[in-house]
Amino acid sequence: MAAGLDRPQVVSHAQQALNYTLFDCKWVPRSARLLCLGSAARGSGLLQLYELRGGRLALLREAVWLAGIERGTVKVWDPRQKDTPVANMEPVQGESKRDCWTVAFGNAYNQEERVVCAGYDNGDIKLFDLKTMSLRWETNIKNGVCSVEFDRKDVNMNKLVATSLEGKFHVFDMRTQHPTKGFASVSEKAQKSTIWQVRHLPQNRDIFMTSGGAGSLHLWKYEYPAQRSKKDSEGAEMGVAGSLSLLQNVTLSTQPISSLDWSPDKKGLCVCGAFDQTVRVLIVTKLNKV
């Protein structure tokens, strides 16, 4: 763990009690506003828009909707074509349908390349190539996959973090794919409870935060190896995983922190939501020193 006074600190700036179960929260770019999405009574969905005003959150508007879930299927939608998905990734005939718990876009470095990574309840991670509409890579991490995220989705694939039910997360180096071994990875067991979410700092993609079932947040930094690839005994290129260091951890709630998002504009400003029906705005300090 980073030592001394240079360690980042996690400071609570504002919080708001809610009357529904909060599943996700997102910053609105170039603003002091954030969205809260959750489930209200009788299973109806609820979306609220808040604005940060000093040390408090002011509710601007809200909307209620009903939605259904299709098991084992990942769909990609274009808002200009709202009635039909532009991509539909589902198990082939005869393959068991697993619940998909999380998805993430990546490899979007031009107008043609795109991938979608999906994590499933049985520990499967699948990488779909949207250009060729094919399965590019898959692996299994032995526990349900709660969250996946590329360190940045608008560049060539660099790193992917996947979190799981039993307190473990994996960092995959996505620059070099070995023909049989796939991508190199390093794993860390941060705690005994579920790691619900992972989010990379927009201003430094080697720093990321995980949120846990014990109501805690852990701030991590990824260190690259001296060489990111090497040749195996047969001359094929294979990746080399780096290492992880814990910068800070803090417990904010007695309930799981299920959602997390960094502000894309203000370095160190983030928001998180927990099952105690509270949304919290936090400030992480000293990120320029790690």
Side-chain angles (χ1 to χ4, degrees):
M1 182 181 289
L5 298 176
D6 288 336
R7 287 178 57 194
Q9 302 298 317
V10 181
V11 180
S12 179
H13 180 66
Q15 67 181 49
Q16 177 67 42
L18 308 172
N19 61 358
Y20 60 91
T21 301
L22 181 63
F23 291 144
D24 204 0
C25 48
K26 296 290 185 184
W27 282 102
V28 179
R30 297 180 295 278
S31 77
R33 297 179 177 183
L34 56 94
L35 286 170
C36 294
L37 301 91
S39 177
R42 299 180 182 178
S44 59
L46 186 65
L47 185 152
Q48 290 185 322
L49 177 65
Y50 285 92
E51 185 172 64
L52 184 61
R53 297 176 180 173
R56 69 183 185 91
L57 288 167
L59 178 63
L60 300 182
R61 63 183 63 181
E62 69 178 31
V64 179
W65 79 97
L66 298 172
I69 299 174
E70 294 182 57
R71 191 165 179 256
T73 301
V74 177
K75 295 186 177 183
V76 180
W77 300 84
D78 186 331
R80 299 165 297 181
Q81 182 183 309
K82 63 180 181 178
D83 297 326
T84 305
V86 295
N88 189 355
M89 293 152 282
E90 57 187 349
V92 297
Q93 188 173 2
E95 185 180 15
S96 61
K97 293 185 177 181
R98 309 299 311 197
D99 287 340
C100 180
W101 286 355
T102 177
V103 293
F105 274 109
N107 211 40
Y109 60 89
N110 60 29
Q111 295 300 314
E112 298 178 357
E113 301 291 337
R114 295 287 189 282
V115 297
V116 171
C117 185
Y120 297 82
D121 65 330
N122 66 337
D124 282 348
I125 298 175
K126 298 186 178 185
L127 187 68
F128 300 97
D129 190 322
L130 295 185
K131 183 178 181 180
T132 61
M133 291 306 298
S134 63
L135 179 64
R136 178 169 172 175
W137 167 74
E138 62 181 329
T139 190
N140 185 281
I141 60 172
K142 300 181 180 180
N143 282 294
V145 185
C146 300
S147 178
V148 291
E149 190 185 53
F150 291 96
D151 56 3
R152 274 181 60 182
K153 63 184 179 182
D154 57 346
V155 298
N156 280 300
M157 286 192 300
N158 188 56
K159 298 192 303 296
L160 172 78
V161 178
T163 73
S164 71
L165 281 176
E166 296 190 3
K168 197 172 188 178
F169 67 89
H170 305 255
V171 183
F172 296 89
D173 187 307
M174 306 296 286
R175 282 292 171 91
T176 305
Q177 182 176 358
H178 188 270
T180 58
K181 297 180 180 179
F183 298 102
S185 68
V186 60
S187 62
E188 182 78 30
K189 190 171 179 63
Q191 55 195 49
K192 295 181 179 179
S193 57
T194 298
I195 302 181
W196 284 86
Q197 195 70 264
V198 58
R199 289 291 179 261
H200 290 82
L201 184 68
Q203 298 85 5
N204 184 344
R205 61 181 176 175
D206 298 329
I207 295 174
F208 60 92
M209 186 178 281
T210 57
S211 67
S216 60
L217 296 173
H218 288 69
L219 186 69
W220 303 89
K221 184 176 182 181
Y222 183 86
E223 304 283 354
Y224 293 96
Q227 291 184 317
R228 293 185 64 178
S229 66
K230 63 181 181 181
K231 293 186 182 296
D232 66 9
S233 58
E234 298 180 353
E237 287 288 332
M238 60 186 300
V240 178
S243 60
L244 294 161
S245 58
L246 178 62
L247 301 178
Q248 187 56 276
N249 66 288
V250 63
T251 299
L252 300 176
S253 171
T254 58
Q255 298 295 317
I257 297 177
S258 57
S259 57
L260 176 69
D261 196 35
W262 294 100
S263 167
D265 309 302
K266 301 293 183 180
K267 189 175 185 178
L269 184 65
C270 66
V271 60
C272 67
F275 285 163
D276 63 0
Q277 297 189 329
T278 302
V279 59
R280 296 172 173 86
V281 176
L282 310 172
I283 298 173
V284 182
T285 67
K286 301 180 181 178
L287 290 173
N288 289 326
K289 297 184 178 181
V290 296

